[in-house]
Amino acid sequence: MVRINPSILAADFANLERDVASISNADLIHVDVMDNHFVPNLTFGLQMVGRLQEVSTRPLDVHLMIEDPDRWAPEYAETGAYSVTFHAEAARDAVALARRLRQSGARAGIALKPGTAVEPYLELLPEFDQVLVMTVEPGFGGQSFRESTMPKLALLRSAVMKSGLDIWLEVDGGIDEETISVAAEAGADTFVAGSAVFRSDDPAGRIDLLRSLAEQHSH
Ligand code: DX5
Ligand code: ZN
């Protein structure tokens, strides 16, 4: 099954409720939390996410680009996020943290920057509900998709198939009508798109288009 998760990083921050309502055909709403330490950009935090969850008809897919997720991530789960994804590079104990997220009722996700190898995480897959392969350097929307990250997806897809686990494989960064097919063919089933959705006159139509392209190219 294909999922399209628009990133509100590209939405109008003064009109988030309106913009979220304009994409009711999205699967989840992707929320990029940045702390100006793990990445050189600052967005929103716990209170914003809690309030957004109250007004959104779609579940939230929270992507934490923060230092010390061991300390902060569980609070995002407790505030009602459907999934909470933290960075492998930032976590002290990724397995313990994933277990705490699941105990709090969220899906547990782990994210890998473009330069982070996936191999050490393959044997830990049963601990996670989703793996996020960053297809740009985290921090900003509107960057170009890095095809060099696709071999990681292929490795993940074959490990997931072998394990028989139902783990979402998500890509984030530079996903548009061209690149979504490349990522789908490599094994992704969950697609974050910021600019491609919100820099369009018809965000909902763009979601439908991305979904059908991904479906055509998925395994
Ligand atoms: C980047 C964020 C992405 C970003 C994607 O650090 O994690 O979710 O919003 O934006 P686009 O789709 O414009 O590359
Ligand atoms: Zn993101």
Side-chain angles (χ1 to χ4, degrees):
M1 183 191 156
V2 162
R3 284 166 219 90
I4 306 292
N5 300 353
S7 166
I8 58 159
L9 189 61
D12 177 355
F13 282 10
N15 288 286
L16 283 178
E17 184 173 11
R18 178 199 70 188
D19 281 6
V20 165
S22 76
I23 52 165
S24 57
N25 59 334
D27 290 278
L28 292 92
I29 307 290
H30 186 81
V31 183
D32 288 305
V33 173
M34 304 185 187
D35 68 351
N36 208 26
H37 290 273
F38 183 71
V39 289
N41 196 3
L42 181 67
T43 56
F44 20 71
L46 200 54
Q47 274 185 299
M48 261 300 266
V49 170
R51 181 70 188 116
L52 203 55
Q53 184 66 84
E54 287 170 6
V55 301
S56 174
T57 58
R58 308 304 305 145
L60 301 189
D61 182 40
V62 173
H63 176 194
L64 297 177
M65 284 158 276
I66 61 170
E67 284 184 353
D68 203 6
D70 307 71
R71 162 74 179 84
W72 295 107
E75 294 195 39
Y76 288 85
E78 283 151 23
T79 205
Y82 188 77
S83 68
V84 177
T85 297
F86 59 86
H87 267 269
E89 304 83 5
R92 275 193 308 274
D93 187 341
V95 168
L97 181 52
R99 290 180 182 171
R100 282 170 64 204
L101 293 173
R102 283 176 162 177
Q103 272 164 18
S104 301
R107 295 174 59 88
I110 188 161
L112 306 173
K113 296 208 275 188
T116 302
V118 71
E119 285 82 354
Y121 300 97
L122 294 176
E123 63 185 24
L124 304 179
L125 283 177
E127 303 286 347
F128 298 98
D129 301 299
Q130 50 198 84
V131 181
L132 174 53
V133 173
M134 287 302 301
T135 43
V136 298
E137 209 54 58
F140 300 91
Q143 304 180 74
S144 301
F145 176 81
R146 296 194 188 196
E147 199 160 349
S148 58
T149 58
M150 292 298 99
K152 284 201 266 190
L153 272 172
L155 278 175
L156 281 162
R157 177 52 63 201
S158 79
V160 166
M161 300 272 271
K162 267 188 219 136
S163 71
L165 296 162
D166 178 22
I167 298 176
W168 300 355
L169 299 182
E170 187 169 27
V171 280
D172 184 6
I175 298 295
D176 61 18
E177 305 76 46
E178 304 288 319
T179 57
I180 198 165
S181 53
V182 177
E185 268 160 21
D189 58 14
T190 304
F191 304 86
V192 177
S195 314
V197 169
F198 285 108
R199 302 273 177 268
S200 154
D201 294 337
D202 177 16
R206 193 51 65 97
I207 292 170
D208 288 339
L209 173 63
L210 290 170
R211 193 192 309 285
S212 80
L213 289 166
E215 277 165 358
Q216 281 166 39
H217 289 89
S218 39
H219 298 253

